Amino acid sequence: MSIATIVILSVIMGWLGTLVLQADINRVSFLDFIIAIGGAGLAARLLAPLLGIPIAAADSGLTLSGTAVAFLGAVTLLAAANLLRHGRVLCRGRAA
């Protein structure tokens, strides 16, 4: 498993994670995107091998279970960051 695979997977899953937890996708913060990328990367690099889940197979590319672990890592870390910063998991837009 290469570092490039983990980086590409982390960016894609981080982007999807921010889309899931943001109420207004036109106001997604760059910090939220970076947090989600970090969560996906940590889950792909640290959590998946502990659980025995391969991120990438040599002949078939990315695995579905490895992609799901990275997505759950992105959503979990972003939800925890939103909970600490805003007091709620789903980040709503500012009141006008």
Side-chain angles (χ1 to χ4, degrees), residues 20-83:
V20 167
L21 289 181
Q22 301 299 323
D24 184 10
I25 60 172
N26 294 326
R27 301 178 101 180
V28 172
S29 123
F30 186 69
L31 180 62
D32 288 341
F33 183 59
I34 296 300
I35 290 171
I37 289 173
L42 286 173
R45 189 69 181 150
L46 300 176
L47 186 61
L50 287 175
L51 297 174
I53 298 172
I55 297 297
D59 56 348
S60 63
L62 296 174
T63 62
L64 184 61
S65 58
T67 304
V69 167
F71 177 72
L72 289 175
V75 170
T76 302
L77 191 61
L78 185 58
N82 283 344
L83 188 61

